Amino acid sequence: MKTTGYAAQTKGAPLTPWSFERRELRAGDVAMEVLYCGVCHSDLHQVRDDWGGSIFPMVPGHEIIGRVTAVAPGVTRFKVGDAVAVGCMVDSCQHCRPCRLGEEQYCTEGMTATYNGRDRVTDEPTQGGYSKHLVVRQEFVLSVPDGLDLSRAAPLLCAGITTYSPLRTWGVGPGSRVGVIGLGGLGHMAVKLAAALGAHVTVISRSPTKTADALALGADEVLISTDADAVAKAASRFDLIIDTVPVDHPVGDYLPLLDLDGSLVLVGQIGPIGQPSSVPLVMGRRRLAGSLIGGIAQTQELLDFCARKGVLPDVEIIPIDRINEAWERMERADVRYRFVIDMASLPAAG
Ligand code: NAP
Ligand code: ZN
């Protein structure tokens, strides 16, 4: 099927309109029209090839809300007209231990990324949600519960699940003391979700100008990371810190903020993290960990949780021809707090 989208033709290139082919439906596939797609900092990283191995042309986008337009034989869970969602992955081996545990993102054969990956059957590059149409096997399609505002739900599919998953893994609930480093797309969802789970939440930000927003999003306190006195006073105060900073940074500076048995979970930077000393780890039985998105079952749990609790991302909806400007603003940490592309602004294939 011919479709259109916005693609980077080469490494670091601006996004421009592009026509390309979506695969014909295979048994078990769901076809959808994309209604909304969130804009993740990972989109920028991958177009710049920050993680190596990027494939071009590349249509980014892995926070996708759509409506089913066709289903192939074998599809039992969806019908034409259903509101559906797709996140960061579209396939995995389905039989390794992580897959059997419902943690497909850690598939030992490698999960298939929604874009900048390769189809497990044809080896063709996958293309993401900055486009009009998408075809995905039903196991990787989520149901959007009634009552979840479609125009705001897209960021749950990456920013939401990436922060919800460690909150659940580390058992956050009433009484938990949670710190969130970096108030961007992931950070603002971490604040909302931790607060909805009943935790005491502190935003740890470089940006004093975000203080009022942080409190409005549900944080109880704000710690400005450049205020050395305030940081020193916050020693041993947290059970869990979620670090969303998208670049190399001195993670070791934050470890003393953890209480005994506390954990700092990296979800932002994928690469070097300065040269943290083991002293605060050894001397306080503290833990340094990482986490990648979340499994399909947990993503559905998150969507249902957000519908039930009325938790929704704060979004700025843009037409697709403003995407390059949105990326520039994201790079300057000027996002309040997630851009979402209204795909109705993208003309259909001519
Ligand atoms: P974002 O919206 O750009 O937010 C990042 C925030 O980090 C900024 O708003 C800023 O907050 C802070 N920040 C930015 N540059 C910084 C710097 N040089 N030093 C310290 N803090 C800085 O990005 P995002 O979409 O939330 O994504 C964050 C990172 O998570 C990206 O690297 C992305 O690739 C990664 N990611 C990982 C996963 C996963 O599965 N682990 C999933 C999705 C995304 P303040 O102004 O408050 O300081
Ligand atoms: Zn993402």
Side-chain angles (χ1 to χ4, degrees):
M1 177 213 305
K2 247 212 152 27
T3 190
T4 57
Y6 264 53
Q9 293 295 328
T10 55
K11 174 176 164 173
L15 301 186
T16 49
W18 186 49
S19 292
F20 62 104
E21 286 287 328
R22 286 287 182 198
R23 70 161 186 262
E24 296 306 319
L25 271 62
R26 302 192 287 250
D29 275 349
V30 175
M32 67 196 74
E33 181 189 0
V34 179
L35 303 176
Y36 296 98
C37 187
V39 176
C40 180
H41 207 109
S42 301
D43 302 343
L44 188 62
H45 282 310
Q46 291 180 88
V47 161
R48 293 195 176 156
D49 199 20
D50 287 345
W51 301 330
S54 282
I55 308 165
F56 297 96
M58 184 193 298
V59 178
H62 59 204
E63 294 184 338
I64 300 163
I65 297 288
R67 198 169 288 288
V68 176
T69 53
V71 294
V75 172
T76 50
R77 297 175 39 230
F78 301 99
K79 58 180 191 316
V80 171
D82 285 354
V84 289
V86 176
C88 300
M89 49 184 175
V90 289
D91 207 355
S92 73
C93 83
Q94 303 276 290
H95 54 71
C96 71
R97 184 165 176 275
C99 281
R100 281 188 278 112
L101 289 171
E103 305 275 13
E104 301 90 344
Q105 70 278 27
Y106 304 116
C107 175
T108 57
E109 292 184 13
M111 57 103 155
T112 304
T114 301
Y115 68 90
N116 198 21
R118 288 200 178 272
D119 187 279
R120 287 180 67 85
V121 178
T122 65
D123 205 41
E124 289 289 306
T126 55
Q127 302 293 0
Y130 294 11
S131 65
K132 206 76 186 164
H133 304 96
L134 191 65
V135 176
V136 180
R137 65 180 287 192
Q138 65 172 338
E139 289 84 352
F140 288 80
V141 178
L142 290 308
S143 290
V144 180
D146 288 342
L148 210 55
D149 178 346
L150 297 183
S151 71
R152 291 180 67 186
L156 298 175
L157 280 303
C158 176
I161 186 60
T162 300
T163 50
Y164 184 71
S165 190
L167 292 170
R168 301 283 285 134
T169 300
W170 272 268
V172 165
S176 304
R177 297 160 301 168
V178 175
V180 176
I181 309 178
L183 194 61
L186 267 58
H188 100 290
M189 283 315 306
V191 170
K192 288 191 180 219
L193 292 166
L197 289 165
H200 182 94
V201 185
T202 303
V203 166
I204 305 169
S205 171
R206 304 164 303 169
S207 309
T209 54
K210 292 182 181 172
T211 299
D213 284 358
L215 299 175
L217 290 165
D220 299 284
E221 291 179 55
V222 177
L223 177 62
I224 300 303
S225 51
T226 50
D227 181 343
D229 284 347
V231 171
K233 281 198 195 107
S236 304
R237 276 241 309 258
F238 298 98
D239 302 306
L240 177 69
I241 295 177
I242 298 187
D243 181 341
T244 75
V245 174
V247 292
D248 188 5
H249 61 291
V251 170
D253 293 357
Y254 298 102
L255 294 174
L257 300 182
L258 295 169
D259 202 353
L260 179 67
D261 286 327
S263 299
L264 185 148
V265 182
L266 293 157
V267 296
Q269 162 68 347
I270 302 177
I273 47 165
Q275 290 191 313
S277 163
S278 68
V279 170
L281 301 175
V282 173
M283 303 307 285
R285 201 164 68 197
R286 299 176 173 105
R287 293 161 198 167
L288 182 56
S291 187
L292 179 68
I293 48 174
I296 292 295
Q298 195 172 55
T299 307
Q300 189 65 59
E301 176 189 305
L302 166 70
L303 294 175
D304 297 343
F305 175 82
C306 289
R308 207 166 58 243
K309 294 266 191 180
V311 176
L312 278 172
D314 282 20
V315 305
E316 181 173 338
I317 297 179
I318 57 165
I320 197 160
D321 61 9
R322 283 185 47 213
I323 185 62
N324 295 300
E325 184 194 320
W327 279 22
E328 281 165 27
R329 280 183 53 196
M330 183 162 64
E331 185 149 45
R332 297 197 303 265
D334 175 24
V335 189
R336 311 249 162 150
Y337 278 90
R338 198 61 143 184
F339 290 111
V340 169
I341 305 164
D342 179 354
M343 217 50 71
S345 63
L346 176 66

